[in-house]
Amino acid sequence: MKLTKNYIDSIINTALSEDINYLDVTTDYLIPQGHTSNAYYIAKDTGVLCGIDIAKRVFEIVGGDVEFETLIQDGTKVNKGDIIAKMNGNTATLLKGERTALNILQHMSGIATATNICVELVQGTNAQITDTRKTLPGLRALQKYAVTVGGGKNHRYNLSDGAMLKDNHIDAYGGITPAVQALRKKIGHMVKIEVEVRTIDELKEALSAGADVIMLDNMSCEQMAECVQLVHGRAKLEASGNITAENIRKVAETGVDIISLGALTHSVKCFDISMRIDTIK
């Protein structure tokens, strides 16, 4: 997965507009024109780095005149105390871009780290770790990119990517079978249909109706294992709901194909990184 320059620049410009209205009172009144500094990023925790090129781009947009040396690339595991990047250049640019760059870098690295933990916990099973659409407005592509950097896969990007019949769709239309049949008549041959089910009976109906993917919503591990046996490879099975680091291995061992976690993006803990000024000339 690659992020386009236009998208990245749009996110950065929006963030900078929030952070600097028309003046940085501290920096603009304190730092003389022409001041230069050395600075560096240091990891304050252990995890997976993500977003370093975006952090670099922040300094290019906010003022330029900064040399940015990347020492650790996206997808690399870092340890507490590792130096991630070094910068040299205009002090005002470094100070004005510091918070925006770190906000993005820490958030994306937090997602990559959380994803990687889950991926490692299910290693050796059939399950793939995916995200959901529970993303922060305007940041979906950044967050989904971070999931892939952490070793996970992406679910739908948006509502145009595939048909997903959740409980409210099914309740509003009048049942699983009529809803699947109605969709099959209208969608193209490239579009898959996923159906959310809450019981074994609903699973059987979704399978008979021809669902391509069936989401097992908030089921126990015992129920999920039974679903795997019943489906026997005739549809992809996705586990979702109340899945944590503590129970994810047990969920994976039921034999499901996919484990989707909204927590990877909607409530992830930021990865702790600091920027430190080394010397001022």
Side-chain angles (χ1 to χ4, degrees):
M1 178 182 176
K2 292 185 178 180
L3 298 170
T4 66
K5 184 174 178 294
N6 286 344
Y7 172 78
I8 292 170
D9 286 0
S10 175
I11 293 293
I12 293 171
N13 282 316
T14 298
L16 289 172
S17 295
E18 289 177 340
D19 208 34
I20 307 173
N21 191 351
Y22 58 91
L23 177 73
D24 177 348
V25 176
T26 310
T27 299
D28 288 331
Y29 287 151
L30 184 66
I31 304 300
Q33 189 173 4
H35 244 265
T36 61
S37 297
N38 295 319
Y40 59 92
Y41 281 150
I42 184 170
K44 299 175 72 177
D45 204 346
T46 298
V48 178
L49 186 72
C50 183
I52 192 65
D53 288 339
I54 301 173
K56 177 182 178 181
R57 181 62 179 156
V58 169
F59 295 108
E60 294 172 355
I61 290 176
V62 78
D65 298 325
V66 169
E67 294 181 5
F68 193 104
E69 182 185 2
T70 301
L71 302 178
I72 300 176
Q73 298 289 343
D74 280 3
T76 304
K77 289 190 177 182
V78 297
N79 297 309
K80 184 176 181 179
D82 284 350
I83 304 301
I84 295 167
K86 294 181 179 180
M87 293 85 83
N88 171 263
N90 186 276
T91 305
T93 297
L94 289 170
L95 294 172
K96 289 181 179 182
E98 175 182 0
R99 178 44 50 201
T100 295
L102 282 175
N103 282 348
I104 295 171
L105 183 61
Q106 289 178 307
H107 182 62
M108 294 179 70
S109 296
I111 293 172
T113 298
T115 303
N116 189 253
I117 288 171
C118 292
V119 169
E120 291 189 345
L121 284 171
V122 304
Q123 209 164 35
T125 71
N126 186 52
Q128 293 183 342
I129 301 299
T130 76
D131 50 32
T132 70
R133 284 172 41 249
K134 295 177 182 177
T135 55
L136 297 177
L139 297 182
R140 181 169 292 176
L142 286 187
Q143 293 184 310
K144 283 183 172 286
Y145 166 76
V147 168
T148 66
V149 169
K153 299 289 182 67
N154 295 139
H155 210 292
R156 292 187 299 173
Y157 277 86
N158 54 52
L159 295 173
S160 301
D161 281 346
M164 185 180 226
L165 290 165
K166 296 182 74 65
D167 54 357
N168 284 333
H169 296 100
I170 294 164
D171 294 341
Y173 196 79
I176 292 172
T177 301
V180 172
Q181 290 175 344
L183 276 172
R184 284 287 181 212
K185 291 178 181 178
K186 296 182 178 181
I187 61 175
H189 68 286
M190 296 293 288
V191 181
K192 290 186 177 182
I193 297 176
E194 179 167 5
V195 177
E196 178 184 89
V197 302
R198 294 158 288 190
T199 67
I200 300 295
D201 286 341
E202 288 181 348
L203 169 91
K204 292 176 180 177
E205 183 178 357
L207 191 62
S208 296
D212 301 295
V213 185
I214 301 174
M215 177 190 285
L216 311 178
D217 182 43
N218 285 294
M219 286 190 180
S220 68
C221 287
E222 292 72 24
Q223 287 176 308
M224 284 189 273
E226 184 178 350
C227 290
V228 170
Q229 294 299 315
L230 285 168
V231 171
H232 198 59
R234 289 176 288 171
K236 292 286 186 182
L237 291 180
E238 174 184 341
S240 186
N242 292 319
I243 298 170
T244 65
E246 286 70 35
N247 65 14
I248 194 169
R249 178 74 191 187
K250 190 175 179 182
V251 171
E253 288 174 347
T254 66
V256 294
D257 303 288
I258 303 152
I259 300 176
S260 58
L261 300 103
L264 293 179
T265 51
H266 69 58
S267 57
V268 73
K269 178 184 176 183
C270 282
F271 183 78
D272 199 0
I273 299 170
S274 288
M275 188 187 91
R276 294 178 182 169
I277 295 288
D278 194 10
T279 60
I280 297 180
K281 300 175 183 178

